[in-house]
């Protein structure tokens, strides 16, 4: 089982994370990349890199033959799957074994046993691990699923048995929602996992999502490394994770740890795994599933244990025993991880794509090192890089470790403010506000709370607007530079018009009370009404990107020759984002009503529906299921009824 070179069958942040430990331990690494990732950071950091296909995951990161060929061409002896993509595919683990490669993960039979969510729950019930009520049967007809839903009662979850990461999952609170939920979950499951088999699970309301990190080796040893609280979620996708959980007692931790280890041993597990539980308001835990891989949120466990979980993975894969026994594992302090997503939380979490104008994570980590450490940012992006619609919307993880929970929150808040991502919309400000929300502070969140806030227009989900000082700072910076040669540089004072976030204002430039001291290296130093201030900032051509309290505001001076604003044309239905067309519900000649769904575009693991703006008839279709589309591409043309 000895190996010296590892191929990482993944991309982005997790590929960089695995390389970091592998290089420290003396291993050589091989990266793989699609057309979309040719210049990606994980490609730059690897010792060798192999191109494996087109941007679509099915043509590259899910192409087992291409990955095995890359390993053979580079002499890699081991394969690390990361998370996502093929990490929980038993056929991939088996293919690696058949090719003589060490698979740095559990054996195929363990992946297979836990990969089928329904079969896994049946096995857990046999093992004595508590499970939530549900339907796990083989009859997949819509009628049988509807009958079982009636028996279970509402609310409930429709889940893909081969699912993970929130894919193929729908929440149903009314029986009228069930048909669409079944169809949507089945379609997404087939697209993501090639298996449309579904199960039903009674939703436990007011629940928390708590998982246990387990590790086993080939010598019969098994331990757990404590819990992680992953309750803060939107649309079943985790947003913030922490360890330890603020609601778990020592007795509860022992009980959940015991059940998690039993679950792993029941399927002959080897390596790193996570057993996920839902915990009700009375503190009772119920098995959800087991993720047979390293988790996105593993850094918080590393922080409180002082252990490197990737190192443990490599040692176990090489046949070594676990480095510690259960009694030797110690926990220290509190750690919180915030997932930085390229999405707009103020517009239905819509995925965002585009160029990264500036990204300096070292700004937060370097400042934190001066204060004693405890700060970590895992990422796979760089200035000048491109966020594409082909993969997950998560671009970085910001992790803080403190003496206690309040200490970790304070450090994490500072990091989000000090190291903003410039160039496209993201959830950085939302994360900062969530961490400091009264319900997060009091540990009162549930797995559905963020979605409830979105439905009820919670202030946390209202787009922040630039404060008055930000407008004045922008006027001071942009007012010093002529645009299009229209304004002479010698003009001492004038009226300056600026645009930001859909708002236009006219200010006096240079503004009184503002003095720009320096602008460079990603930082603006200025005085505002006699107070010296420092803001992360980048001046990109005619745009000033200014970060204030983790929110990024982009100020531009409109051209003196503005283009005529284009009005929304109800006849033209265009793609809301760049992505892949998942479904087309209309054909040429079909009559449609206002609000009727026309086309579904999938981007970054999210489905976005395009609806008819008015009643009419489909005159032309410019797309089909499976076709890639650019943001704003014309997909459907309607002839509007008079």
């Amino acid at each position: 089982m000895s190996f010296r070179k590892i191929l990482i069958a993944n991309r982005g942040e997790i590929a960089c994370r695995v390389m970091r430990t592998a290089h420290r331990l003396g291993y050589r690494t091989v990266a793989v990349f699609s057309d979309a990732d040719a210049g990606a950071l994980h490609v730059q950091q690897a010792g060798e890199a192999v191109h494996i296909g087109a941007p679509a995951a099915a043509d590259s990161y899910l192409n087992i033959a291409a990955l095995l060929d890359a390993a053979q061409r580079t002499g890699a002896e081991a394969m690390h799957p990361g998370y996502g993509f093929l990490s929980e595919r038993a056929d991939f683990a088996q293919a690696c074994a058949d090719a003589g490669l060490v698979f740095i993960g559990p054996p195929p039979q363990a992946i297979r046993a836990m990969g089928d969510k329904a079969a896994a729950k049946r096995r857990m019930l046999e093992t004595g691990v508590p499970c939530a009520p549900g339907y796990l049967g083989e009859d997949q007809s819509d009628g049988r699923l509807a009958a079982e839903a009636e028996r279970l009662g509402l609310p409930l979850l429709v889940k893909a048995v081969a699912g993970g990461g929130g894919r193929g999952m729908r929440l149903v609170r009314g029986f009228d929602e069930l048909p669409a939920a079944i169809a949507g979950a089945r379609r997404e499951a087939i697209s993501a996992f090639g298996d449309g088999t579904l199960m039903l699970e009674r939703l436990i309301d007011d629940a928390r999502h708590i998982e246990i990190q387990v590790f086993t080796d080939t010598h019969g040893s098994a331990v757990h490394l404590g819990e992680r609280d992953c309750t803060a979620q939107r649309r079943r996708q985790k947003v913030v994770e922490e360890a330890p959980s603020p609601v778990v007692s020592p007795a509860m931790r022992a009980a959940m740890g015991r059940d998690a280890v039993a679950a792993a041993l029941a399927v002959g597990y080897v390596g790193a795994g996570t057993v996920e539980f839902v915990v009700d308001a009375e503190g009772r835990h119920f098995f959800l599933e087991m993720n047979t891989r390293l988790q996105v949120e593993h850094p918080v466990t590393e922080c409180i244990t002082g252990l490197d979980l990737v190192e443990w993975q490599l040692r176990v894969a090489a046949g070594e025993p676990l480095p510690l026994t259960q009694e030797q594992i110690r926990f220290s302090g509190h750690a919180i991880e915030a997932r930085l997503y390229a999405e707009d939380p103020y517009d239905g979490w819509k995925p965002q794509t585009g160029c990264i104008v500036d990204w300096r994570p070292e700004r937060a980590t370097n400042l934190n090192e001066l204060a004693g450490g405890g700060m970590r940012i895992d990422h796979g992006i760089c200035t000048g890089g491109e966020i594409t619609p082909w993969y997950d919307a998560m671009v970085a993880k910001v992790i803080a470790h403190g003496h206690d929970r309040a200490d970790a929150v304070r450090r994490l808040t500072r990091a989000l403010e000090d190291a903003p991502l410039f160039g496209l919309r993201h959830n950085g400000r939302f994360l900062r506000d969530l961490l400091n929300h009264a319900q997060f502070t009091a540990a009162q969140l549930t797995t559905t709370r963020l979605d409830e806030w979105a439905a009820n227009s919670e202030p946390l989900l209202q787009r922040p607007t630039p404060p008055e000082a930000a407008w004045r700072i922008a006027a001071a910076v942009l007012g010093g530079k002529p645009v299009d040669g229209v304004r002479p540089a010698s003009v001492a004072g004038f009226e300056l018009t600026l645009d930001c976030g859909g708002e236009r204002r006219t200010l006096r430039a240079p503004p009184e009370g503002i003095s720009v001291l320096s602008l460079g290296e990603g930082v603006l130093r200025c005085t505002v009404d006699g107070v010296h201030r420092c803001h992360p900032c980048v001046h990109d051509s005619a745009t000033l990107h200014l970060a204030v309290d983790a929110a990024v505001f982009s100020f531009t001076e409109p051209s003196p020759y503005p283009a005529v604003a284009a009005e929304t044309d109800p006849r033209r239905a265009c793609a809301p984002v760049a992505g892949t067309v998942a479904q087309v519900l209309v054909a040429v000649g079909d009559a449609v009503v206002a609000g009727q769904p026309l086309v579904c575009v999938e981007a970054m693991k999210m489905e976005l529906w395009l609806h008819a703006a008015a009643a009419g008839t489909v005159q032309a279709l410019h797309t089909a299921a499976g076709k890639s589309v650019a943001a704003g591409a014309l997909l459907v043309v309607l002839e509007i009824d008079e």
Side-chain angles (χ1 to χ4, degrees), residues 350-353 389 574-580 601-603 606 608 629-633:
K350 187 178 293 184
Q352 305 293 302
T353 59
C574 300
V577 295
T580 302
V601 177
E602 183 179 284
M606 183 180 293
L608 296 104
V629 295

Side-chain angles (χ1 to χ4, degrees), residues 218-522:
T218 56
H219 303 274
S221 297
V223 299
H224 73 82
L225 302 178
E227 83 279 1
R228 295 186 289 256
D229 195 316
C230 309
T231 300
Q233 303 177 9
R234 56 101 179 105
R235 294 178 176 174
R236 322 307 297 183
Q237 285 277 358
K238 299 168 186 175
V239 176
V240 172
E241 301 101 344
E242 57 184 315
S245 168
V247 302
V248 170
S249 66
M252 186 176 171
R253 181 175 299 115
M256 294 178 73
R258 182 177 61 250
D259 283 343
V261 169
L265 292 175
V267 296
Y269 201 82
V270 174
T274 302
V275 181
E276 302 199 357
F277 296 98
V278 61
V279 178
D280 66 14
E282 285 73 46
R284 297 173 298 183
H285 64 277
F286 303 92
F287 174 83
L288 279 179
E289 62 187 22
M290 183 176 187
N291 289 302
T292 53
R293 54 174 167 78
L294 197 67
Q295 289 281 85
V296 174
E297 56 272 20
H298 76 274
V300 295
T301 298
E302 293 184 322
C303 287
I304 66 168
T305 61
L307 305 173
D308 184 331
L309 300 195
V310 174
E311 178 178 345
W312 276 40
Q313 282 190 299
L314 300 183
R315 294 195 181 284
V316 168
E320 298 181 24
L322 292 178
L324 298 174
T325 65
Q326 190 69 62
E327 293 72 25
Q328 293 173 316
I329 295 167
R330 298 288 182 268
F331 304 103
S332 174
H334 198 99
I336 306 179
E337 172 182 294
R339 300 190 186 191
L340 188 66
Y341 284 110
E343 65 183 14
D344 188 349
Y346 312 111
D347 185 17
W349 318 102
K350 187 178 293 184
Q352 305 293 302
T353 59
C355 181
I356 299 169
V357 172
D358 192 78
W359 169 241
R360 302 171 190 258
E362 69 279 0
R363 176 170 167 76
T365 52
N366 289 346
L367 287 173
N368 197 261
E369 285 174 4
L370 295 175
M375 194 69 244
R376 166 178 167 182
I377 298 180
D378 288 7
H379 67 99
I381 57 175
C382 57
T383 298
E386 190 82 13
I387 303 299
T388 72
W390 298 104
Y391 313 114
D392 192 276
M394 191 188 78
V395 295
K397 305 182 309 196
V398 187
I399 309 109
H401 183 211
H403 299 298
D404 54 26
R405 192 168 187 254
D407 191 26
V409 167
R410 184 173 59 254
R411 290 171 184 251
L412 188 48
T413 298
R414 173 72 185 269
L416 290 166
E417 294 173 347
D418 285 342
L421 172 66
F422 291 109
L424 67 162
R425 286 179 171 170
H426 54 78
N427 68 334
R429 170 59 177 263
F430 166 76
L431 292 171
R432 180 256 198 190
D433 291 345
L434 174 60
L435 290 166
N436 293 276
H437 193 281
Q439 290 192 33
F440 183 87
T441 301
Q444 294 176 342
L445 294 185
T446 66
T447 55
T448 58
R449 188 59 47 80
L450 299 190
D451 295 326
E452 292 165 6
W453 286 349
N456 297 316
S457 302
E458 168 76 13
L460 184 77
L461 285 164
Q462 294 176 10
R463 189 181 304 281
T465 57
E468 179 65 25
W471 285 100
R472 295 168 61 202
I473 292 171
V477 175
L478 295 176
K481 295 185 178 294
V483 176
D484 295 339
V486 174
R487 182 175 70 245
S490 60
V491 173
F494 51 91
E495 296 294 309
L496 177 67
T497 300
L498 295 176
D499 289 341
C500 182
E503 182 180 0
R504 175 168 292 184
R505 292 183 58 177
T506 300
L507 304 97
R508 184 67 179 173
E512 294 183 2
I514 304 287
S515 176
V516 177
L517 304 177
S518 65
L519 173 59
E521 298 301 319

